[in-house]
Amino acid sequence: MKDALRILHLEANPSDVDAAVAALAAEGIACEFLRVETRADFVAALEQSRFDLIFAEYSLPNFDAPSALAIAIEKSPDTPFILVSGTVGEQTAVELLKKGATDYVVKHRLFKLPIVIRRAFREAAERSERRRAEEKAEQNLQRIRALHEIENAIAAALDLSDVLRLLLEKIELFSPFPVVATVRLLNRESGEVEPLVCRNLDEAEWRINKKRTPSGRAKRICETKASLVVRNIQTDPQTFNQEVYRQCGLVSFLGVPLIAKGHSMGVLSVYTKMEHEFCQEEIEFLYTLADQAAIAIHNAQLYDGMARANRVKDEFLGVMSHELRTPLIVLLGYIGLLKDGMMGEVNKQQENALEKLLACALDEINMINTIILTTQIEARTITREYRSLELSDLLDHLRSTYKVQTDKKDVKLTWSYPTAPARITTDGEKLKQILHNLINNALKFTDKGTVAVTVRALAASKVDQGSELSSLDSYDASKQRMWVEFRVTDTGIGISKETHRFIFDKFYQVDSSQTRAYGGVGLGLYIVKKFTDLLGGQIELESESGKGSTFAVTIPSQS
Ligand code: ADP
């Protein structure tokens, strides 16, 4: 036990205090006693000094132990309160213990005082140990919650500065007083560590100050990838502009590097407004937060990088569409002029050559258009443009584009659609593109036989069972949810069942050696599927290897 215990003794009789001193001295316990006997003196004593123990007589002329105990619990809750009384009965003493007194000793058995004191100290130590452990557990819990909150913010891909501001807010969990915190980012080109976000600082002023002062300390943290502690940055000789820190009242500094994939990305700094010694635990917590900040920054930079890469890709495609497509269109124009004899007579051989040139140029343009369309689908820049249109007009127009058959194959293209008026509301251009791709494939993969295009209306409830209305003539636009089915059937090479599930994938071709003979890039059906989805429709494939194919697209007749 430490020497000279400070004891506040609530006692009217000085000789009882002497007796207590003697009882303790007998056990080698030195102490300093302050005797008080009124409420005012008791309160004043507790307010002015700290005591190791409080002894109290139960009743005094103008005061009593229960009232004193209430005051002691409020003003000095950790100080053991021992009832040292002569007249008190067992029952009364027990009542007081229930209210929070530590122990009691009757005056004629003061020799027990040392044992009681030792026990009181032991129990007080255990209590404060328990309280510290509880506080620690609570603090850890709060930190874990904070880290979860930050993780969630990162996962939700919130704006980077919002994530970092939340993170800076959480730094206060390791500090009993408000701290100033900042995140700065290393600019790889200039080598400077530039301001990003701060807390408890005037942000505009901070940015200006940081622009004016070189980031020596932050640079060092980035280079060494190690934390740095400065006890007083206002007086530290390494501080470039001590005045700035004096004006902001910043004293102690702790900076930790933000490291992602082994590279320093910046610095997370904490400043206190009073001189403070950062303990290992605080440094470790800041490191954990720094890891989170680094992840958030890394994600944001990756995202920026991806967005930039996408922009570059879009720009490239923009250039491609103009720089490659435009000359091709000019080429097509001249081929047409030559072929039509507008630039002089063309013999049969030359005409054949021009026809081949024309076919190649058209293939090229189609391929470029397909790739551009695919990237637009990927970039989600494709929109639906619904209009009310006459179905037969759309099909008549589509049919007219297949009038001139340059193919020398023995394939007949047949059309079957009702000619009676039937208005549907859909995106006509997308629908035409779907049918174009299906018909072109059917023609491409069929060497002999027919390619048949048939169109019919289906009642909504019948779509699943595949029952049709008698014909489009019975179609009534006022009826809700009618469907229109477009079937493209060919007698070509067919598609083996195992490949059906991949057939609409991007760049998928059933058999590369075979399709190479047929040409194409494997994007036609991908576009068909995406556009059918866009129009709210469905697509089905019936096909077997060597037995021809049928692609059936069903779309709602109203948007
Ligand atoms: P592409 O025709 O440019 O190769 P598509 O996406 O239009 O790309 O078609 C993907 C693949 O599906 C084709 O390469 C072909 O193997 C197969 N395919 C598509 N339509 C038919 C068809 N009507 N008959 C046989 N195979 C087909």
Side-chain angles (χ1 to χ4, degrees):
M1 201 175 288
K2 60 181 176 169
D3 22 48
L5 289 177
R6 287 178 52 73
I7 301 175
L8 176 62
H9 201 157
L10 181 62
E11 176 58 68
N13 188 350
S15 64
D16 281 356
V17 174
D18 294 342
V21 174
L24 294 176
E27 284 287 324
I29 303 171
C31 39
E32 287 169 19
F33 271 81
L34 174 66
R35 188 181 66 82
V36 292
E37 49 186 301
T38 62
R39 169 190 286 268
D41 287 349
F42 185 74
V43 170
L46 285 180
E47 281 175 352
Q48 281 158 22
S49 324
R50 278 191 50 81
F51 294 93
D52 298 308
L53 284 163
I54 298 170
F55 289 172
E57 166 61 273
Y58 192 83
S59 58
L60 296 101
N62 297 311
F63 200 29
D64 57 59
S67 314
L69 176 63
I71 294 167
I73 286 172
E74 190 205 318
K75 300 217 177 278
S76 185
D78 290 336
T79 312
F81 186 103
I82 296 164
L83 181 67
V84 183
S85 189
T87 53
V88 69
E90 187 94 354
Q91 189 57 33
T92 319
V94 169
E95 283 302 311
L96 207 64
L97 288 178
K98 280 191 194 154
K99 287 186 179 145
T102 313
D103 216 329
Y104 81 101
V105 178
V106 283
K107 276 185 180 166
H108 61 272
R109 308 186 78 174
L110 282 183
F111 64 88
K112 280 194 157 181
L113 211 45
I115 305 168
V116 167
I117 288 179
R118 286 200 178 94
R119 190 168 55 216
F121 280 138
R122 210 174 36 245
E123 284 174 5
E126 281 168 8
R127 251 198 325 275
S128 70
E129 181 69 18
R130 219 174 17 250
R131 200 171 42 243
R132 259 203 308 279
E134 280 167 10
E135 278 169 10
K136 183 108 210 66
E138 174 60 27
Q139 198 184 36
N140 282 342
L141 201 66
Q142 276 192 25
R143 289 180 186 181
I144 289 168
R145 277 201 203 111
L147 292 175
H148 270 299
E149 217 181 304
I150 296 167
E151 265 168 27
N152 287 343
I154 294 175
L158 289 186
D159 182 58
L160 176 63
S161 55
D162 287 344
V163 174
L164 295 178
R165 274 179 222 287
L166 176 77
L167 192 132
L168 294 189
E169 198 181 289
K170 302 299 174 196
I171 287 179
E172 284 179 15
L173 285 179
F174 81 60
S175 164
F177 40 82
V179 291
V180 167
T182 68
V183 177
R184 291 160 69 193
L185 265 196
L186 177 65
N187 179 330
R188 294 203 182 284
E189 279 162 26
S190 66
E192 288 301 313
V193 190
E194 296 168 349
L196 194 61
V197 289
C198 67
R199 179 169 171 81
N200 292 336
L201 265 188
D202 180 324
E203 188 153 339
E205 216 170 279
W206 173 60
R207 287 180 188 282
I208 293 169
N209 281 336
K210 284 295 162 204
K211 263 204 185 125
R212 282 202 212 117
T213 47
S215 38
R217 211 171 262 136
K219 269 189 199 168
R220 196 155 11 112
I221 294 172
C222 285
E223 277 158 21
T224 57
K225 295 182 189 161
S227 62
L228 185 72
V229 173
V230 182
R231 185 70 186 241
N232 191 330
I233 34 169
Q234 294 183 8
T235 54
D236 188 81
Q238 308 260 353
T239 303
F240 181 79
N241 192 348
Q242 297 178 343
E243 190 48 37
V244 170
Y245 293 103
R246 253 179 240 125
Q247 276 168 11
C248 302
L250 306 181
V251 186
S252 298
F253 167 85
L254 163 61
V256 298
L258 304 174
I259 299 174
K261 302 216 161 185
H263 296 292
S264 285
M265 321 183 70
V267 177
L268 173 60
S269 306
V270 169
Y271 303 83
T272 60
K273 296 209 166 192
M274 284 181 296
E275 201 159 292
H276 175 73
E277 187 161 356
F278 292 101
C279 65
Q280 196 50 35
E281 208 188 337
E282 290 169 336
I283 298 176
E284 275 167 19
F285 181 55
L286 204 64
Y287 259 108
T288 315
L289 289 180
D291 284 347
Q292 304 270 38
I295 291 170
I297 294 167
H298 184 66
N299 284 357
Q301 288 180 346
L302 266 185
Y303 180 79
D304 274 2
M306 267 156 47
R308 215 172 315 127
N310 267 341
R311 269 202 306 279
V312 170
K313 195 173 87 181
D314 287 349
E315 275 164 24
F316 169 73
L317 284 168
V319 169
M320 186 159 118
S321 66
H322 281 97
E323 303 305 312
L324 293 181
R325 201 160 52 171
T326 313
L328 269 176
I329 288 169
V330 176
L331 200 77
L332 278 177
Y334 276 107
I335 296 171
L337 287 177
L338 283 170
K339 210 166 87 59
D340 293 346
M342 310 287 273
M343 301 175 99
E345 195 130 337
V346 182
N347 64 34
K348 196 70 199 150
Q349 212 181 353
Q350 287 167 333
E351 197 183 319
N352 282 344
L354 285 172
E355 255 172 28
K356 280 190 187 126
L357 268 180
L358 188 71
C360 286
L362 280 172
D363 275 354
E364 199 74 34
I365 283 208
N366 282 338
M367 209 144 72
I368 292 171
N369 286 344
T370 305
I371 293 171
I372 289 171
L373 214 52
T374 304
T375 47
Q376 283 171 346
I377 292 172
E378 301 266 280
R380 295 172 204 274
T381 52
I382 296 264
T383 51
R384 279 175 300 206
E385 316 236 334
Y386 280 136
R387 267 193 209 102
S388 168
L389 51 92
E390 196 60 54
L391 188 60
S392 58
D393 288 351
L394 181 134
L395 293 165
D396 285 346
H397 178 260
L398 189 68
R399 186 178 186 169
S400 70
T401 61
Y402 288 95
K403 279 249 163 72
V404 190
Q405 270 280 15
T406 49
D407 237 15
K408 297 283 176 276
K409 290 194 292 189
D410 183 15
V411 180
K412 205 163 155 233
L413 178 59
T414 66
W415 297 79
S416 161
Y417 53 89
T419 45
R423 293 202 78 76
I424 64 168
T425 304
T426 190
D427 183 329
E429 288 311 309
K430 306 273 181 315
L431 179 57
K432 269 199 244 168
Q433 183 78 50
I434 292 171
L435 297 175
H436 251 304
N437 288 7
L438 292 178
I439 296 167
N440 289 350
N441 272 350
L443 291 171
K444 183 161 71 173
F445 295 104
T446 307
D447 290 329
K448 200 167 181 313
T450 40
V451 170
V453 182
T454 50
V455 182
R456 60 180 182 161
L458 298 176
S461 57
K462 307 272 173 83
V463 169
D464 289 339
Q465 297 128 44
S467 315
E468 62 183 300
L469 290 176
S470 53
S471 75
L472 261 186
D473 300 347
S474 59
Y475 167 80
D476 178 354
S478 64
K479 281 192 190 146
Q480 284 300 299
R481 299 299 281 177
M482 303 289 291
W483 293 76
V484 187
E485 184 200 67
F486 303 85
R487 294 173 82 85
V488 179
T489 303
D490 65 58
T491 54
I493 60 171
I495 302 166
S496 67
K497 286 238 186 284
E498 321 70 89
T499 57
H500 284 201
R501 61 201 167 109
F502 308 114
I503 208 82
F504 299 104
D505 290 354
K506 205 166 41 174
F507 296 117
Y508 183 79
Q509 297 183 305
V510 171
D511 177 78
S512 49
S513 64
Q514 189 186 52
T515 45
R516 230 179 277 138
Y518 288 99
V521 281
L523 290 173
L525 289 182
Y526 169 77
I527 293 171
V528 166
K529 174 76 173 81
K530 290 286 172 186
F531 278 12
T532 306
D533 290 344
L534 203 67
L535 301 188
Q538 300 159 9
I539 182 158
E540 274 169 27
L541 165 63
E542 293 158 25
S543 183
E544 266 181 65
S545 204
K547 297 194 175 164
S549 313
T550 297
F551 284 89
V553 170
T554 313
I555 59 161
S557 62
Q558 302 298 317
S559 57

